[in-house]
Amino acid sequence: MSHGDGDHERFAHYVQKDKIMASALEGTPVVALCGKVWVPGRDPKKYPVCPMCKEIYESMGVGGDKDKSGKGGDKK
Ligand SMILES: [Zn+2]
């Protein structure tokens, strides 16, 4: 019944896990990587991953271990 764009409701957005937990407890809205603000409620597994979130997520190099392997230019 809510009026407004509904497209984002059909995607599962990436959100920091901490935020999700807090939201689940307090019912506060979270901000996805793509900038989408919403209150997660339904099972996100039912939805395809938001393409924008996915792109941002991958570009961030999640894991933060990019320095470990010393990619390229590491002559020994
Ligand atoms: Zn998104």
Side-chain angles (χ1 to χ4, degrees):
M1 278 299 188
S2 71
H3 140 106
D5 50 20
D7 284 358
H8 49 258
E9 306 294 349
R10 299 168 191 214
F11 288 114
H13 299 269
Y14 281 124
V15 180
Q16 289 178 14
K17 203 178 274 180
D18 297 358
K19 303 254 168 90
I20 292 242
M21 306 262 287
S23 171
L25 290 173
E26 299 167 28
T28 52
V30 294
V31 183
L33 294 183
C34 67
K36 161 71 187 158
V37 180
W38 90 114
V39 179
R42 285 172 249 168
D43 185 359
K45 294 190 179 80
K46 288 195 294 192
Y47 303 93
V49 172
C50 167
M52 213 183 296
C53 277
K54 190 178 181 198
E55 194 176 314
I56 297 169
Y57 184 81
E58 287 173 350
S59 73
M60 288 192 324
V62 175
D65 57 349
K66 63 181 177 187
D67 292 331
K68 276 184 191 167
S69 55
K71 59 170 183 180
D74 186 19
K75 296 176 187 173
K76 268 194 174 174

